[in-house]
Amino acid sequence: MEQTARRGALPGFASFNSLFGYLYSMLASTAILNMPVLGGALYMVGRVVILFSRLVRPGDFRRLPRALRAVGLTLGGLSSALAFAVLLVYPLAVDMPGLWLVFALASLVLLMGQAVRLMEMRGRADRVPPVRRSVRQAEIAVLFCAVTALILFVSLDAPTAWTLLGGYALCCVFRLASVRGDTARALPEAQAAKAPPEGDLERLDRVHVYKAFRLITLITVTALQVTVILIYTFIGATSPGLLVSLLIALLCTVLSRWLTDALLARSFSRRRVEPATVLLIGLMLWFLSLVSFALRDFGPTLVWNYVTLALCISGVTMAARALETLGEAMRDIVRFALEREPGQAFAQAQAALSEYASLVGNMVALIGLMLITLVARGNIGPGSVTLAARPILLLPALVLAAAAIPGAFRFPLDSRILHKLRTFLRLKEDGETNIQLQKQLEDLVVRVRRSRYGIKLLILVLRPFFKSEVVGVEKVRPQPGVSCVFTCNHGEMWGPIVSNLFLPFSFRPWVIDEIAEPAEQSDYLLRNTVSRQKWLPNWFKPIAARMTARFLKWVTHNIDSIPVYRDNPKALAQTFRLTAEAMEAGDNILIFPENPHGENGGAAKYATEGVSRFYTGFAMVAQIYHRRTGKRAEFYPVYADKARRQMFIGEPVRFDPGPPSGDEYRRIAAHLRAEMLRMAGLAGDAAAEANGAEAIEAEANGPEAREGTA
């Protein structure tokens, strides 16, 4: 079987071959009736009929959810009504022979394309050599050219007939050049393949990531169809001739798409960007370009209009490429949800969804073209009455592109989750399992209770205000499959903020329960932070605390924080259990081990310079982790220096299961604090802390310790 979509391909109508046929139909209508959009509308009627005929095939139609099937049938009925309106009602207002001639030319373009496509697919199925397939397709194209020449020279004067015949020949050339790539995406065995069982579809409907991908694909591909058709409508209606419109289309669409795709290919291959991020950026560029085009006037030159359209195509290409890459990841999602290989039927279900979105987009564009035809007699060029209504004509594309942005922003699949998913699938292939990783994936993939992209946007906004250089990243060299524990100083709120903004590793942070628990956030913030802000009026401080608490509730939820219950031993056991489960699932941990009360107790206050004394019990996570997995966690000290605007990563210390647990906890805490003091420039304190760590280690490794651990 042929493989599915080649990389960077745009689905459905949005291929240059199909759009050149659309341009040709518009220019033929201009030459015959001086109504360019009417020819485009007639071509679109044929396209909708072809897409609908593909969609209602029994194999493909059953791959769609029931609600989409009902909408598809409704759209089919509407497309039939519009076709009758164009062919039977509108001829009363125009030259009927001319209209039927335009309809014949548009039909010949479509029929030629379908004939070449079917011959290519049948040739592949029968294993006909490529050269013989190409010869047969060329013969079919010549036959269609002959029929077109006969119709043109009988109906029109010779110069016009020769011009239109040359344009039709170009349509044939483009079709022959693109047929192999198009049929490679057509899945020749689609009709013979079985549709996925209804039970599988119902199970996938409960997988949040899959549902989110399906919805955003539906909206984005629909918006793509409408946008690209309107762009080519503008090009065809404003350019003076076929060759000029072809050149403009090549520069504005094909060249822009090729350059964007080349840049994305390098970024994706080097894993510099995440597909969902590219999707969001592409949609925003797409939407802003459409807004700019809608607000731009037709001046003496249309160069800037065409530049805007080229930027719009770049955004479209980014969105389409990101969807394609995410579609490849969906196979792993389906494999995890169904606990078996999804098979070819699900790839075909995804192709059917794309065809369905193409049908919807074509229908929306057809309605817009009909509106132009009825209001402005098929003309949107300079001086047309439709020019003032251009923002309204672009409204469907604007609304659809805008509707896709929130879906992309909330899309829950990122590289971290995908890495965990593929790790779990590899373990399963090897006959192993990881229960905690499976539970976490069910939460992240099936239920999805948090959005990482909101946090990423927040990080992007806050970074300029808390600029901090990270020094010592090269020291973090974790063993494969072993989680790291990063420990950072507090420095009031500076440490937690900059570590979450700039530490270039994924982690789950410990957060004190007064911050993590919504019922206590407001009082804690008012007591420990907001009340100290002298620039705030006293009457406003409780309000500010409540507002900040709501914001922190969202933040702590979406960064997947682990609450720490310092004054509740029973609840603290839950903290260690959740932490060990997270580490077992492959997560790193971020801990702030300072004791705000210091050595002599007193009011809770973290050191703004240097490092306060440490709690030592945090190191228990390594013992629990080792007991459950047999792996030895590494602790990395991190010092956030507000004065120098730097964040230092020091030498790590690895958990040793041999010595008594209390001694080991103190050794780890002493090493980490000594490293932090050294990085803070407090050499004397660091040396004293290091000597204490060595004494603890020597005592732990003494004869009695060895006897106790033998």
Side-chain angles (χ1 to χ4, degrees):
M1 179 180 293
E2 300 290 343
Q3 296 298 314
T4 55
R6 61 185 173 83
R7 298 190 67 81
L10 298 181
F13 186 87
S15 65
F16 186 73
N17 162 68
S18 297
L19 288 167
F20 181 70
Y22 178 72
L23 275 178
Y24 173 77
S25 299
M26 289 185 65
L27 294 169
S29 183
T30 302
I32 298 170
L33 296 171
N34 197 28
M35 299 174 63
V37 179
L38 178 60
L42 293 173
Y43 183 88
M44 286 297 302
V45 170
R47 281 292 306 175
V48 168
V49 170
I50 291 172
L51 286 172
F52 185 73
S53 65
R54 293 181 189 174
L55 188 67
V56 297
R57 292 180 304 189
D60 283 347
F61 206 56
R62 289 200 305 271
R63 296 185 183 102
L64 294 171
R66 292 180 180 178
L68 295 186
R69 297 179 208 172
V71 175
L73 292 173
T74 303
L75 289 175
L78 182 58
S79 66
S80 301
L82 288 173
F84 280 112
V86 171
L87 296 175
L88 299 180
V89 179
Y90 197 72
L92 299 177
V94 298
D95 176 32
M96 185 175 294
L99 182 140
W100 283 105
L101 179 58
V102 174
F103 177 71
L105 292 175
S107 299
L108 285 170
V109 172
L110 290 165
L111 290 173
M112 179 271 299
Q114 290 303 302
V116 171
R117 175 179 178 273
L118 291 174
M119 183 165 289
E120 174 70 14
M121 292 175 66
R122 182 172 296 180
R124 291 189 178 209
D126 296 340
R127 301 184 183 278
V128 177
V131 175
R132 183 183 293 181
R133 294 203 306 264
S134 299
V135 171
R136 290 181 180 178
Q137 293 159 15
E139 292 173 350
I140 289 291
V142 170
L143 177 60
F144 273 94
C145 282
V147 174
T148 304
L150 177 62
I151 294 174
L152 288 173
F153 282 100
V154 168
S155 306
L156 301 172
D157 58 273
T160 305
W162 278 112
T163 301
L164 294 179
L165 181 60
Y168 188 87
L170 277 177
C171 288
C172 294
V173 171
F174 280 119
R175 185 55 183 150
L176 292 173
S178 64
V179 65
R180 291 188 181 180
D182 289 347
T183 52
R185 302 194 298 270
L187 295 174
E189 299 177 20
Q191 287 179 305
K194 295 181 180 179
E198 291 289 340
D200 286 354
L201 293 177
E202 292 177 358
R203 290 177 66 183
L204 289 177
D205 281 339
R206 294 192 291 269
V207 179
H208 182 85
V209 169
Y210 184 80
K211 286 175 61 180
F213 174 76
R214 191 171 62 191
L215 177 61
I216 199 170
T217 298
L218 182 63
I219 297 175
T220 304
V221 174
T222 302
L224 184 152
Q225 304 299 317
V226 178
T227 301
V228 177
I229 292 168
L230 287 176
I231 287 174
Y232 272 74
T233 302
F234 174 77
I235 293 173
T238 55
S239 55
L242 181 64
L243 293 178
V244 175
S245 65
L246 175 61
L247 179 61
I248 293 172
L250 283 169
L251 292 176
C252 289
T253 61
V254 175
L255 181 60
S256 176
R257 170 182 154 188
W258 179 80
L259 290 174
T260 305
D261 195 61
L263 292 174
L264 288 178
R266 295 183 61 184
S267 299
F268 281 148
S269 64
R270 298 179 183 180
R271 297 182 179 180
R272 291 180 176 176
V273 294
E274 294 188 358
T277 303
V278 173
L279 175 62
L280 182 60
I281 295 173
L283 288 171
M284 295 180 68
L285 175 62
W286 178 356
F287 176 76
L288 294 175
S289 300
L290 281 176
V291 171
S292 176
F293 177 73
L295 299 177
R296 187 177 296 278
D297 293 329
F298 285 131
T301 175
L302 299 174
V303 172
W304 290 111
N305 297 82
Y306 293 137
V307 170
T308 305
L309 296 182
L311 290 174
C312 185
I313 286 294
S314 293
V316 168
T317 303
M318 293 175 70
R321 181 63 181 272
L323 281 178
E324 181 191 4
T325 305
L326 289 171
E328 296 171 359
M330 283 305 108
R331 188 175 185 88
D332 291 329
I333 297 292
V334 173
R335 182 180 166 195
F336 174 76
L338 299 181
E339 299 181 349
R340 57 178 171 79
E341 286 292 337
Q344 189 63 44
F346 287 96
Q348 293 162 357
Q350 188 173 318
L353 181 66
S354 180
E355 290 284 346
Y356 175 86
S358 298
L359 173 62
V360 175
N362 278 258
M363 280 299 309
V364 173
L366 179 56
I367 293 172
L369 295 176
M370 287 297 300
L371 179 63
I372 296 172
T373 301
L374 294 173
V375 173
R377 294 182 61 83
N379 185 12
I380 61 170
S384 168
V385 296
T386 316
L387 189 58
R390 185 155 50 113
I392 299 177
L393 297 177
L394 287 170
L395 187 60
L398 284 167
V399 170
L400 288 166
I405 292 175
F409 183 75
R410 294 177 58 86
F411 190 72
L413 187 66
D414 59 17
S415 58
R416 181 181 68 95
I417 298 175
L418 193 58
H419 175 73
K420 287 176 174 289
L421 177 65
R422 289 172 175 165
T423 299
F424 176 79
L425 293 176
R426 283 196 298 269
L427 288 174
K428 194 171 182 180
E429 286 179 355
D430 296 337
E432 302 177 25
T433 188
N434 186 325
I435 301 299
Q436 298 305 326
L437 180 57
Q438 182 177 0
K439 290 180 179 179
Q440 190 179 91
L441 286 171
E442 288 173 353
D443 183 53
L444 296 173
V445 173
V446 179
R447 291 181 288 272
V448 185
R449 298 172 180 172
R450 55 190 57 86
S451 172
R452 298 288 296 183
Y453 279 90
I455 293 298
K456 289 185 178 182
L457 179 61
L458 178 64
I459 290 174
L460 187 65
V461 172
L462 292 180
R463 272 183 173 177
F465 299 97
F466 297 91
K467 191 65 177 177
S468 187
E469 179 188 5
V470 182
V471 180
V473 176
E474 70 282 354
K475 296 179 181 178
V476 181
R477 298 184 297 272
Q479 297 178 350
V482 179
S483 295
C484 300
V485 180
F486 297 99
T487 56
C488 184
N489 64 306
H490 221 286
E492 288 293 346
M493 292 301 294
W494 182 258
I497 291 174
V498 296
S499 58
N500 278 277
L501 291 178
F502 295 102
L503 198 60
F505 306 99
S506 64
F507 52 78
R508 292 184 62 180
W510 273 17
V511 176
I512 190 169
D513 62 310
E514 287 94 337
I515 294 292
E517 296 295 334
E520 303 179 29
Q521 285 177 345
S522 180
D523 292 339
Y524 180 83
L525 289 170
L526 179 62
R527 185 174 62 253
N528 293 281
T529 302
V530 179
S531 62
R532 299 176 184 175
Q533 309 305 314
K534 298 180 180 180
W535 57 276
L536 283 176
N538 290 332
W539 63 268
F540 186 70
K541 289 179 179 180
I543 300 174
R546 287 194 295 269
M547 294 171 60
T548 307
R550 292 181 181 178
F551 172 70
L552 282 178
K553 176 183 177 182
W554 175 80
V555 171
T556 55
H557 173 74
N558 286 291
I559 64 175
D560 209 6
S561 63
I562 299 173
V564 182
Y565 304 89
R566 288 179 175 173
D567 300 323
N568 188 336
K570 185 176 180 180
L572 187 60
Q574 180 184 359
T575 299
F576 285 104
R577 179 182 61 80
L578 291 175
T579 304
E581 290 176 355
M583 295 175 69
E584 192 176 352
D587 289 318
N588 299 319
I589 305 297
L590 174 63
I591 295 176
F592 301 91
E594 286 179 292
N595 182 351
H597 297 286
E599 297 181 357
N600 300 318
K605 186 176 181 180
Y606 293 103
T608 55
E609 296 181 2
V611 186
S612 301
R613 288 291 177 184
F614 277 13
Y615 290 106
T616 60
F618 71 92
M620 188 187 298
V621 299
Q623 185 183 42
I624 301 174
Y625 178 59
H626 180 267
R627 187 187 305 147
R628 298 172 72 129
T629 65
K631 299 175 182 178
R632 297 169 59 192
E634 283 190 327
F635 291 80
Y636 286 87
V638 179
Y639 181 71
D641 192 324
K642 183 177 181 179
R644 289 183 285 178
R645 295 280 175 151
Q646 289 180 314
M647 187 162 54
F648 301 91
I649 301 177
E651 296 296 332
V653 57
R654 181 176 296 177
F655 173 74
D656 185 354
S661 57
D663 292 341
E664 180 62 10
Y665 302 161
R666 288 192 294 272
R667 182 185 72 86
I668 291 174
H671 173 88
L672 295 173
R673 186 167 184 268
E675 277 292 289
M676 287 188 192
L677 290 169
R678 180 186 62 79
M679 292 183 287
L682 302 174
D685 294 340
E689 193 75 19
N691 291 335
E694 292 176 1
I696 293 171
E697 184 173 4
E699 182 181 351
N701 292 327
E704 294 181 1
R706 286 194 295 270
E707 291 176 5
T709 57

